[in-house]
Amino acid sequence: MELGKKVTVPDVARMKAAGERITMVTAYDCAFARLLDQAGVDLLLVGDSLGMVVQGLETTLPVTLDEMIYHTRMVARGAHRALVVGDLPFGAYQTSPTQALESAIRLVKEGGAQAVKLEGGLPMARTIEAIAVIDVPVMGHVGLTPQSVHRMGGHRVQGRRHGHGAGERERVLDDARAVQEAGAFAVVLECIPLDLAAEITAELKIPTIGIGAGAHCDGQVLVLHDLLGLSADWTPRFAKRYAELGQEVVRAAETYVREVKEGTFPTDAQAFAPPKTSTGAA
Ligand code: KIV
C-alpha cells in the first residue's frame, strides 16, 4: 500500500492477494489516531478493549454502544489514510440481526466508522450477513473472544488440540469458515495455536488478522497500550512492547512536579510580560 493513499476495504483484499502483510492497531482518540495514521498503520480498530485499557474495567462487557460511538468519532477525525473499524460492544448486536444492523448503522453514521467488527463465528453468521448486505463492511473475530470471557473461564488460548480437545480446534475452523461465508471482509484470529491460524489463513480467501495467533496470518493487530508500553503492570505473552512510554510519562510528570514545588517552572520564558505603562501622558 502506498503511504499517501487512503486504505479501502477492497485494498485489504488486494493486500492478501499480493502477499502484503496488513497492519492494524487499536486507537481510542484523535491524537493517537493521527500518530498511528502518520506511521502508516493500515487499519485503526476502535476496540472495545478500551473498557480495559482506557476505562480501567476488568472486562470489556460493560462498554456501551454510545461509548464506542464517542471514541470512534474521535479516531475517525484523526485518521486520514487508515481504514477505521469500530467494534460492536457486548449487548449491541446479540439480541437479533435487526439490533445488530441498527448498532452498525449508528457506528457508521454517528461514529464515522468505515467498517464494523463483531465477535463470534457460526452463531453470528446471520448477523454478519444482515450487516454486510446493506454494504457496511464487517470484520469477524474468532478464537478467544473477550466478550465470552465467562463461558471461556478467562482469557484463554482457544482451539488447542490437547487440553480442551480436538473438537475445540474444529469449532474455531468452522467459525472462521462461517464468518467468510456470511460475507465478512476480514477476520481477527485471537489467541489460537499458530498451526491452526496457518491452516485457516491458507484456506480462507478473506484476510486473517492475528493477535496471539503466530506469524502465518495475513496481518497482525496489537492493542495500542501494549505496543507503546502504556499498560501498567502486565503485558500478554503474545504482545510486544515497542516503547516504554509509561515510564516516560512518569519521568516527565515527576520533573514537572519537582520544578513547580521548587519554583523553577514557570520562568519568564513561559510568562507574559506586563503591559508597558505610558509615562508623561495627560
Ligand atoms: O477490542 C479489541 O481491541 C480487539 C482486538 C484485541 C482485536 O478486539
Side-chain angles (χ1 to χ4, degrees):
M1 276 296 303
E2 278 169 56
L3 260 192
K5 189 186 168 298
K6 170 81 192 150
V7 180
T8 64
V9 167
D11 287 330
V12 177
R14 275 194 282 274
M15 286 164 86
K16 171 157 182 147
E20 183 185 344
R21 293 246 163 83
I22 299 157
T23 54
M24 181 158 89
V25 178
T26 65
Y28 313 106
D29 65 28
C30 181
F32 277 108
R34 274 204 190 111
L35 296 171
L36 295 168
D37 196 71
Q38 199 181 318
V41 175
D42 299 314
L43 288 89
L44 295 183
L45 170 65
V46 190
D48 63 353
S49 52
L50 69 86
M52 296 168 83
V53 298
V54 177
Q55 298 177 334
L57 297 167
E58 288 292 315
T59 72
T60 59
L61 297 177
V63 176
T64 67
L65 181 60
D66 284 337
E67 287 165 350
M68 291 308 302
I69 291 169
Y70 172 74
H71 285 274
T72 305
R73 201 183 294 139
M74 290 190 271
V75 170
R77 273 187 214 127
H80 300 293
R81 175 185 173 274
L83 184 84
V84 176
V85 182
D87 229 351
L88 286 169
F90 179 67
Y93 62 97
Q94 288 91 346
T95 304
S96 67
T98 306
Q99 186 212 21
L101 208 52
E102 285 166 2
S103 300
I105 289 171
R106 285 195 65 200
L107 261 186
V108 171
K109 221 175 166 71
E110 300 172 43
Q114 290 139 12
V116 301
K117 179 172 84 56
L118 59 84
E119 295 182 11
L122 201 46
M124 282 296 134
R126 277 188 50 230
T127 302
I128 293 172
E129 208 176 321
I131 302 173
V133 97
I134 61 148
D135 287 344
V136 172
V138 184
M139 179 178 281
H141 184 159
V142 304
L144 192 167
T145 46
Q147 291 175 18
S148 314
V149 61
H150 297 311
R151 172 181 58 78
M152 296 180 308
H155 294 98
R156 296 173 191 285
V157 176
Q158 302 292 302
R160 277 205 164 118
R161 242 189 272 267
H162 306 292
H164 292 283
E168 196 189 89
R169 186 183 168 96
E170 263 313 306
R171 183 169 124 183
V172 176
L173 198 52
D174 287 346
D175 280 340
R177 287 177 181 140
V179 163
Q180 167 169 282
E181 194 59 30
F185 76 99
V187 60
V188 168
L189 305 179
E190 179 163 355
C191 285
I192 60 171
L194 57 87
D195 63 322
L196 176 57
E199 188 181 339
I200 294 171
T201 303
E203 182 182 319
L204 295 195
K205 290 189 175 60
I206 60 170
T208 60
I209 302 184
I211 176 160
H216 304 297
C217 299
D218 297 305
Q220 296 293 326
V221 53
L222 276 183
V223 169
L224 179 71
H225 289 56
D226 293 337
L227 187 154
L228 296 182
L230 284 169
S231 29
D233 38 13
W234 179 77
T235 310
R237 191 174 103 82
F238 56 77
K240 180 167 171 185
R241 294 166 83 102
Y242 285 84
E244 288 300 337
L245 293 199
Q247 288 173 20
E248 272 297 291
V249 170
V250 173
R251 194 199 53 74
E254 278 172 354
T255 307
Y256 163 74
V257 168
R258 195 187 65 243
E259 289 191 359
V260 172
K261 300 273 186 202
E262 68 192 16
T264 54
F265 174 85
T267 65
D268 285 353
Q270 288 101 22
F272 300 99
K276 289 195 174 63
T277 50
S278 49
T279 51

